[in-house]
Amino acid sequence: MEEYREKTIDLREYFRVFLKRRWIIITVFSVVVLFTAVATFTATPVYHATAQIVIEKENPNLVSIEEVMAVDSTGTDYYQTQYKIIRSRTVAREVIRRLDLKNSPEFFPPPKDNILSDIWTGVRDAVSGTRDWIGSLLKTGIPKDETADQDAALDSELVSRFIERIQVSPIENSRLVNVGVEAKDPAMSARMTNELVHAYIDQNLETKLTAAKNAAKWLSERIDDMRQKVEAAEKALLNYKEEQQIITDFSSDAENITAQKLAELNTQLVEAESQRVEAETRYRQAISIENSPDMLDSIPEVLSNDLVKEVKKMEVVLFNSMSELSKKYGRNHPKMVAIESELAELKKRKQIETGRVINSLKNKYKLALAREESLKAALARQKAESLSLNKKAVQYSVFQREAESSRNMYDMLIKRFKETSLTEEMKTGNIRIIDTAETPKDPVKPNKKRNLLLAVILGTAMGFGLALFLEYLDNTIKLPDEIKEDLNIPFLGAVPAFSSNGVPDHIPSELVTVYSPNSAVSEAYRSIRTGILFSSADTSPQVIMVTSVSPLEGKTTSAANLSVTLASAESRVLLIDADMRRPRVHKVFGLDRKIGLSNVLVGTAPLKNAITASKVEGLDILPVGSIPPNPSEIIGSRKMEQLLDALRENYARVIIDTPPIVSVSDALVLSRMVDRVLLVIRSGETPRPAIQSSLAQLQTVNAKIMGAVLNAVGVGRDSYYYYQYSHYYYAEDSEQTRKKARVKNLGKHVRG
């Protein structure tokens, strides 16, 4: 499992990026600032006039008709609606009409009399003509008023352009609103602002008056309908009274009288029932003892009868007389017979009177019974009359309430109609002007200071952003840390970029270690040589293959200079040119390649005849030889392995220059036969994915990778690698001294 390494932000890295791409940053910055400055100082000044209005929270309650046309102004949506109305197309059209902006130079300036204007006019007319011609070809045959369409489009465009100039700014924590209009003419800006405010207020009043008129119209129609309903209801009530013969209106007193009558009749009926029961009882009692004369005296009415009382008194007298006479006379004595006759007469009279009393009781009973029946009938009639009266009262109340309700609704509509008619004449609202717009003195656009400041900020940001973006797109290897972290292979050293200017013609320009041994480049190669010698703890690699990912990365130059530096430290070094595609080693050392590696491998020439001694002491060269048709097969043959084994015995170090990895498979085939593979990477040019792919191919064939050399590193002050080579300066101060060093160095290294 790979160890996780957190990457930290290195500000010096960004500084080097900005320093490297400073001209891009300066160019972008200059273009942005210059363009902004030209646009700002050549732009037409724009003025902004402001008027202040107040939008009251509630409508003035002048009449009670506010229920009809009240506006809920308690919420924030009401104010947002008003702001949108100010910028509405209806209000804008009204301002355009009042100020005749269709003919105003503010929106339709006269054409300028110059060449550019003429050219622009010609182009516009040509485009318009072409468009009309295309439109004529696409006509469907339906007649169309093109003039009307053009006028409508022009009017719509003018309204949109005017609305774009309107600015509505509510003042926080208040009901005040600033309304402004931008214009090129300061006076026109003030006029349009004031007219916009007046048009908005008029539109608001017009909306309310329209609502009042509509309400009045609706009320008028409703009044006519309600008048008919009132008449119908009152007529229905009158007809009902006539049908039911109702003279007076039903009231609570009438209901009370009816209830009182029912109560009285009920009381009388109860009393009559009691009297009837009593009379019936007495009559029945008398009837029951009518045949028992002795029991008749128990009847209270008989006892209380005066005649019966008189008869009884007379009987008492006669009985007393009979008692006295009986003492003297017998039963048949005339006096006794007379008394008995009188007693019989009295008894007869008593019986007659008793019968008369019984008849009286009977009559009383019948009278009580008749009275009871009469009261029952009267009570029933009263109940029926009460029920009928209640029914009439209910129906009467229905007609009466309907008539009263219609009358009340009619009166209310009349009242609202009068209030609405009064409101139509009132021109008041909840919007007032606090401050009218005044002619502005200074333009609001363009804001030169702000524009230039923004241009500086934007130009700087765009410049740095573009530099970082280009750096992000640059996926090449530029720093040693990238080799270690991204490629995960050792870093052997970096070779600064150098030029061949000033080098004598008889000296190869690639051999910087020969003609400039004290330069930073030579020191870099010597540092790489040290890394090669100490790359292994046991023994340093003897056969080293030098290759690259793609052509023109400096692998041949690196192989040649490394061979020179190794020859100065070793006894014998051999440089083999195994690039049978584009060989260059013989050109670097000025040798003939007719006999070389290919001849040795195919057996047309012995090895000793193919190896050529170079002018550098201790360094031999094995050129490529004749170019064969099948380089890969020759390089990967068994003879190549045998050749390398033979060379190991005669040379301390063998350096092999091979073709690039991505071009052909020669390097991959040869990498299995060598001790180590050295990869040359050109700084800022070799893409990272290509390097990773090449390393993967080498690992596939089990090649032993020694490390990588970063070639052609820029060491100027704007380069990534400046800080690494700021201390490498070994060259002489004067050109003459440097030339002497080259000559001396050549005399030391060149043989024969």
Side-chain angles (χ1 to χ4, degrees), residues 505-659:
D505 295 337
H506 63 280
I507 299 177
S509 60
E510 290 86 350
L511 295 178
V512 63
T513 53
V514 175
Y515 66 78
S516 183
N518 294 328
S519 65
V521 180
S522 300
E523 183 63 27
Y525 280 117
R526 285 192 288 271
S527 177
I528 296 172
R529 177 195 62 185
T530 303
I532 293 173
L533 296 177
F534 293 95
S535 60
S536 178
D538 298 332
T539 57
S540 59
Q542 185 177 4
V543 180
I544 301 171
M545 186 184 79
V546 179
T547 186
S548 63
V549 175
S550 57
L552 303 178
E553 293 194 37
K555 62 175 182 58
T556 301
T557 302
S558 298
N561 285 281
L562 283 175
S563 299
V564 172
T565 56
L566 286 171
S568 64
E570 302 279 347
S571 57
R572 295 189 66 184
V573 176
L574 176 64
L575 174 60
I576 302 175
D577 188 358
D579 188 354
M580 297 185 181
R581 313 289 177 164
R582 296 178 61 184
R584 289 190 65 252
V585 172
H586 65 284
K587 294 181 180 179
V588 171
F589 288 92
L591 302 176
D592 187 5
R593 69 171 180 84
K594 291 182 179 180
I595 300 176
L597 177 63
S598 60
N599 303 99
V600 174
L601 295 177
V602 297
T604 58
L607 177 61
K608 61 180 180 178
N609 294 338
I611 296 177
T612 304
S614 69
K615 297 180 180 180
V616 178
E617 185 178 356
L619 177 61
D620 293 337
I621 307 298
L622 178 58
V624 68
S626 302
I627 303 300
N630 52 349
S632 299
E633 288 78 358
I634 295 177
I635 292 295
S637 63
R638 178 64 180 168
K639 290 185 177 181
M640 186 65 187
E641 295 182 6
Q642 296 174 355
L643 174 63
L644 293 179
D645 292 338
L647 294 175
R648 291 176 188 273
E649 298 177 358
N650 298 323
Y651 290 94
R653 205 76 55 185
V654 177
I655 307 298
I656 305 174
D657 180 24
T658 63

Side-chain angles (χ1 to χ4, degrees), residues 29 114 145 164 202 302 346 356 405 415 422 425 472 491 596 638 661:
F29 175 82
N114 53 45
D145 190 355
E164 291 175 355
D202 293 344
V302 174
L346 289 174
R356 199 184 291 107
S405 175
K415 181 181 178 182
L422 180 62
E425 301 177 359
Y472 172 77
F491 171 68
R638 178 64 180 168
I661 298 175

Side-chain angles (χ1 to χ4, degrees), residues 75 110 197 209 247 256 279 331 336 384 581 648-649 656 705 737:
V197 172
L209 293 178
I247 300 175
N256 292 334
R331 187 174 179 82
M336 289 294 288
R581 313 289 177 164
R648 291 176 188 273
E649 298 177 358
I656 305 174
I705 302 173
T737 304

Side-chain angles (χ1 to χ4, degrees), residues 154-291:
L154 184 64
D155 176 72
S156 178
E157 181 182 0
L158 178 58
V159 171
S160 300
R161 290 171 59 189
F162 180 77
I163 291 175
E164 291 175 355
R165 300 188 178 200
I166 300 174
Q167 293 184 2
V168 181
S169 304
I171 299 177
E172 190 175 0
N173 298 325
S174 71
R175 293 191 289 271
L176 298 176
V177 181
N178 290 330
V179 180
V181 180
E182 294 180 350
K184 301 174 184 178
D185 184 4
M188 179 57 71
S189 175
R191 287 181 60 195
M192 288 192 297
T193 301
N194 290 326
E195 202 61 47
L196 175 65
V197 172
H198 286 99
Y200 164 63
I201 295 176
D202 293 344
Q203 194 266 351
N204 183 269
L205 291 175
E206 183 65 24
T207 301
K208 293 183 178 181
L209 293 178
T210 301
K213 290 179 181 179
N214 293 334
K217 181 180 179 182
W218 180 83
L219 289 172
S220 178
E221 295 174 354
R222 294 296 298 167
I223 286 173
D224 293 338
D225 296 339
M226 192 54 64
R227 184 186 297 111
Q228 297 176 3
K229 289 184 179 181
V230 170
E231 293 175 355
E234 292 181 346
K235 186 177 181 181
L237 179 62
L238 181 60
N239 293 335
Y240 183 76
K241 290 176 70 176
E242 291 178 354
E243 291 175 0
Q244 301 298 328
Q245 296 181 356
I246 300 174
I247 300 175
T248 59
D249 296 337
F250 290 97
S251 62
S252 59
D253 294 337
E255 295 177 356
N256 292 334
I257 292 173
T258 303
Q260 186 177 0
K261 287 182 179 181
L262 285 174
E264 290 177 355
L265 286 173
N266 191 49
T267 302
Q268 292 176 5
L269 179 60
V270 172
E271 184 180 354
E273 287 179 348
S274 299
Q275 293 176 359
R276 191 264 305 166
V277 170
E278 183 180 358
E280 184 179 4
T281 302
R282 289 178 180 178
Y283 172 70
R284 299 296 181 190
Q285 184 181 6
I287 292 297
S288 63
I289 61 176
E290 183 179 6
N291 297 323

Side-chain angles (χ1 to χ4, degrees), residues 423-469:
T423 304
E424 291 184 29
E425 301 177 359
M426 296 180 182
K427 293 187 177 180
T428 181
N430 62 329
I431 303 172
R432 294 180 289 108
I433 298 177
I434 303 300
D435 294 324
T436 58
E438 299 179 356
T439 303
K441 296 180 180 180
D442 299 321
V444 294
K445 296 179 182 179
N447 191 332
K448 298 178 181 178
K449 293 182 179 179
R450 184 189 64 184
N451 290 354
L452 292 179
L453 178 61
L454 291 177
V456 170
I457 296 174
L458 182 62
T460 303
M462 290 180 63
F464 283 109
L466 181 60
L468 292 175
F469 180 71

